[in-house]
Amino acid sequence: MRQELEQAIAGVCKDLFSVDVEVELTRPDEQFGDYATNVALQLSKKLNKNPREVAEAIKETVKHPAISSMSIAGPGFINLELTDDALVQLSEQKPEQTLEGDIVVVEYSDPNPFKVLHAGHLYTSVVGDAVAKLLESSGAKVYRVNFGGDVGLHVGKAMWSILQEIGGENPDKLNEVNERSEWLTQCYVAGTTAYENDDKAKSEIINLNKRVYQLYADNDHDSPFAQIYWTCRQWSYDYFKEFYTRIGSHFDKYYPESETAPLGLQKAQELLKSGVLEKSDGAIVFKGEEHGLHTRVFINSQGLPTYEAKDLGLTIAKTNDYHPDKSIIITGNDIVEYMKVVLKVVQQFDPEHAQATTHLTHGMVKLAGGAKMSSRRGNILRAVDVIDVAQVANESATGQKDESTALAAIKYAFLKNRIGGDIVYDPAESVALEGNSGPYLQYAHARARSILSKVKTADSKQQPVNRFEKDERSLLRKIGEYAEVVDRAVQYLMPHHVCMYLYELSQEFNRFYEHNRVIDDPRQSVRLTLVHSYADILKNGLELLNIPAPDTM
RNA sequence: GCACCCGUAGCUCAGUUGGAUAGAGCGCCUGGCUUCGGACCAGGAGGUCGGCGGUUCGAGUCCGUCCGGGUGUACCA
């Protein structure tokens, strides 16, 4: 509908002035109309004419059954008012299927085994889920994948401390460990401290790191050391899965670095031969300076693959496994420059994949009034801490024991910010029952469902509607924006557009609800239709954010 | 030092990619309703959009520069 109108106006401009122009219809303030365009302002310069004259000519010539009236305002905006039928049609429109048939791999969350899940993992998971849902809503077949370091120096650090704790290579001692994930986290922290402060420990850790790689090379699952490693590794993955289930995330595939490392190592060797990578100080590096980037190490002087090589291997694995049309990688923005280097290298051997890859980054989570967090130290804000503090706030506000509202509150609080910069998370505000919050939206939905549930099915059947009263029309107008908002959110991979819209929609509904009765009103059938599509849109929108919309609360 | 990101109301954030009077939420002040779920609605105060300069009919948005903050910058991930 919108595109149709844009083309109609563009066609008129061509007929009148013999120019090709891109017409973009925007949603102006309601007082101005349903759609607006500044095309006359754009053209006036090119044509050397008064913008209002240009607008006048366009206004007189454009004819479309969806338009009930047009007006010119301000410096030369053309405002369109749509017919009620057109508004109804818009309200039934589905998001565009721009990615119909496309395969999209979305990589996100990426926690490392042996380490704790912190608030950043919670945030990035919530963002990734929403982005994945958005892509699905536009017709893509989405695969959610998760990349994590089950090999690498951090594993060496954890293993070093694990061996200390259980008194050597005694796998049986692991049976005595309670609070497994907590225990692993503490081991990792202790290992990190030792690595930094104790040279003997440092060299032992470096050695343990090599031994872990060797386990894979030997396919060793039986030696005492192997048993310890594999058991603790499994504990980590169990802990991840439990957490993801709790927050409503799921992944189609976990790519452990142990799987991508050999692929990356092999590719790096090839790239060394072909001259893309080169030797430097015993390491194999990519000189990024020639491309305006910086130099990064792919294989260290020990012969071990770094994160860079493992990431290289990951892109190969993704291509082999999915042959994606698009590949989205979601991470914190601290690795933007790093990722540019890796993608530049990918471009040298698989330009198509590099071209199809988007690195979407977000900032850090900061607790309102609190400090930020570092994953290397013990004083971090854990993911479960964020959930717990939200649940405490939720329970004290509502008496509700169930944590689903708290989770919805967290997700919405995270997603309502534009992805990119750091976000400040305020637990009290997030669970607030008023204002721009998840619970407000869930409640606004439940209230509409409650109205609908009071009507017998026979009464609620839809009837054709011709004319809307002012408040009804405002609500309908807002409902009709949904598909466009989703389209924009998909185009820019920005879930916050959906949040903003859903809040405005709910406000519009609450305004309507304040002044108009639904049940037992002469206009009941018209209004029920509106309430119904409102509730469906709200539910749909919340689900795009991976937030459930229960019928009752 | 260099590179990238950020700076909008007291606080937390939007701002339809250069357009109309810069908008929300929280907090503060005033009022309404409290019979479909009040977890509501209406209104008010609060802004030299970090500063300066430039491009443009038009700049929060683009360019330059300065100030302030964050991140990254070779064998960690």
Side-chain angles (χ1 to χ4, degrees):
Chain A
M1 159 96 62
R2 178 170 139 169
Q3 283 180 346
E4 209 179 292
L5 289 168
E6 286 171 345
Q7 281 163 17
I9 296 169
V12 163
C13 292
K14 182 141 179 92
D15 292 347
L16 286 173
F17 311 112
S18 322
V19 288
D20 285 308
V21 65
E22 187 98 354
V23 176
E24 196 194 354
L25 286 175
T26 57
R27 291 281 187 166
D29 258 22
E30 192 173 5
Q31 52 170 320
F32 295 124
D34 299 316
Y35 279 125
T37 176
N38 63 0
V39 68
L41 291 161
Q42 289 178 46
L43 287 177
S44 68
K45 190 181 182 189
K46 207 179 286 183
L47 302 172
N48 199 20
K49 285 187 175 168
N50 181 316
R52 290 192 70 108
E53 275 174 36
V54 176
E56 193 64 40
I58 294 170
K59 178 191 155 188
E60 290 308 317
T61 317
V62 171
K63 294 279 180 284
H64 193 281
I67 301 173
S68 63
S69 71
M70 297 173 75
S71 61
I72 295 164
F77 291 98
I78 304 171
N79 294 317
L80 315 186
E81 188 156 328
L82 300 182
T83 64
D84 285 358
D85 283 345
L87 277 186
V88 171
Q89 210 181 315
L90 271 181
S91 75
E92 289 163 354
Q93 200 137 38
K94 297 276 175 278
E96 277 187 56
Q97 298 300 293
T98 47
L99 298 176
E100 179 95 69
D102 279 4
I103 292 170
V104 182
V105 172
V106 184
E107 176 207 331
Y108 62 101
S109 199
D110 295 352
N112 283 329
F114 299 89
K115 291 171 78 170
V116 71
L117 289 164
H118 54 69
H121 289 116
L122 178 57
Y123 178 40
T124 198
S125 301
V126 168
V127 168
D129 285 336
V131 168
K133 291 252 186 184
L134 279 174
L135 292 164
E136 281 171 340
S137 79
S138 65
K141 172 64 191 159
V142 174
Y143 294 97
R144 295 158 170 81
V145 307
N146 190 318
F147 182 45
D150 62 340
V151 289
L153 195 60
H154 65 285
V155 179
K157 291 172 181 172
M159 285 298 288
W160 181 86
S161 184
I162 287 166
L163 294 176
Q164 299 270 313
E165 288 292 315
I166 62 175
E169 297 181 19
N170 308 311
D172 294 345
K173 288 274 187 187
L174 290 173
N175 293 326
E176 295 167 20
V177 173
N178 298 313
E179 305 279 341
R180 292 167 172 177
S181 58
E182 186 61 29
W183 182 77
L184 282 182
T185 297
Q186 283 167 7
C187 287
Y188 169 71
V189 172
T192 301
T193 310
Y195 184 87
E196 284 169 8
N197 302 326
D198 179 348
D199 284 345
K200 180 164 167 283
K202 183 173 177 177
S203 64
E204 286 169 2
I205 285 167
I206 290 170
N207 189 43
L208 286 172
N209 182 25
K210 282 191 206 163
R211 282 186 68 189
V212 171
Y213 277 103
Q214 198 58 41
L215 292 181
Y216 284 91
D218 299 343
N219 194 21
D220 179 359
H221 285 71
D222 302 322
S223 71
F225 182 71
Q227 287 182 45
I228 294 165
Y229 169 78
W230 288 106
T231 300
C232 292
R233 181 186 183 277
Q234 189 56 45
W235 288 358
S236 267
Y237 278 109
D238 291 345
Y239 157 63
F240 293 164
K241 286 199 172 145
E242 186 191 359
F243 174 74
Y244 289 134
T245 302
R246 186 176 178 192
I247 67 170
S249 303
H250 74 89
F251 290 90
D252 296 294
K253 185 164 170 62
Y254 287 78
Y255 282 106
E257 287 182 6
S258 57
E259 190 179 319
T260 70
L263 293 171
L265 210 48
Q266 192 192 345
K267 178 57 74 178
Q269 298 291 359
E270 283 173 34
L271 292 171
L272 177 63
K273 287 200 189 98
S274 64
V276 173
L277 301 184
E278 54 190 272
K279 283 201 168 165
S280 175
D281 290 342
I284 295 174
V285 308
F286 179 71
K287 297 275 190 188
E289 283 74 9
E290 301 157 27
H291 304 88
L293 303 168
H294 61 271
T295 295
R296 295 207 69 100
V297 173
F298 281 70
I299 300 177
N300 69 21
S301 45
Q302 311 264 335
L304 295 178
T306 59
Y307 191 49
E308 286 81 340
K310 296 168 188 168
D311 236 337
L312 215 53
L314 179 61
T315 66
I316 294 164
K318 284 175 182 170
T319 305
N320 291 344
D321 293 345
Y322 299 108
H323 302 285
D325 298 291
K326 263 178 186 293
S327 178
I328 316 277
I329 302 168
I330 301 170
T331 75
N333 55 22
D334 49 340
I335 64 165
V336 284
E337 294 299 307
Y338 157 85
M339 192 60 79
K340 281 182 194 167
V341 176
V342 172
L343 287 176
K344 182 57 76 179
V345 172
V346 172
Q347 198 183 60
Q348 310 302 311
F349 67 89
D350 190 352
E352 268 183 52
H353 188 92
Q355 181 65 34
T357 301
T358 304
H359 184 209
L360 195 63
T361 67
H362 55 254
M364 306 251 154
V365 180
K366 294 173 177 169
L367 209 48
K372 60 168 190 169
M373 70 214 87
S374 151
S375 66
R376 307 264 165 86
R377 308 275 170 207
N379 62 341
I380 59 162
L381 182 59
R382 298 177 308 163
V384 290
D385 294 335
V386 176
I387 298 173
D388 288 347
V389 77
Q391 175 52 22
V392 167
N394 176 47
E395 196 173 336
S396 79
T398 62
Q400 199 178 41
K401 297 253 186 268
D402 175 20
E403 78 177 15
S404 64
T405 304
L407 276 169
I410 292 167
K411 289 181 187 179
Y412 187 82
F414 283 172
L415 292 172
K416 73 178 179 178
N417 293 297
R418 185 192 183 92
I419 297 172
D422 292 350
I423 63 164
V424 176
Y425 174 70
D426 183 341
E429 189 186 313
S430 79
V431 302
L433 313 169
E434 305 120 23
N436 190 0
S437 71
Y440 173 97
L441 294 178
Q442 288 185 312
Y443 183 77
H445 173 260
R447 184 151 65 172
R449 291 290 175 205
S450 167
I451 295 173
L452 296 171
S453 73
K454 290 190 165 49
V455 184
K456 294 187 211 82
T457 354
D459 299 342
S460 69
K461 78 168 184 223
Q462 300 193 0
Q463 293 171 14
V465 174
N466 293 319
R467 285 194 43 158
F468 292 98
E469 289 182 350
K470 187 169 174 297
D471 287 356
E472 295 165 355
R473 194 182 191 285
S474 295
L475 180 56
L476 181 63
R477 179 184 183 275
K478 202 71 197 173
I479 291 169
E481 284 181 35
Y482 179 67
E484 290 169 21
V485 170
V486 174
D487 291 344
R488 189 161 66 241
V490 169
Q491 186 184 351
Y492 297 106
L493 296 178
M494 291 285 171
H496 79 285
H497 284 124
V498 176
C499 296
M500 292 294 153
Y501 167 78
L502 292 179
Y503 182 61
E504 288 169 14
L505 175 68
S506 299
Q507 276 186 315
E508 199 62 62
F509 174 74
N510 281 332
R511 266 193 283 271
F512 170 82
Y513 177 85
E514 185 76 14
H515 304 297
N516 303 279
R517 254 202 97 76
V518 177
I519 294 171
D520 296 336
D521 185 276
R523 299 186 62 76
Q524 170 171 321
S525 70
V526 174
R527 291 177 178 174
L528 278 175
T529 310
L530 278 174
V531 173
H532 204 99
S533 48
Y534 156 74
D536 285 350
I537 295 281
L538 187 49
K539 187 183 181 70
N540 217 289
L542 283 170
E543 279 171 359
L544 275 185
L545 305 172
N546 204 26
I547 295 173
D551 287 355
T552 57
M553 290 179 74

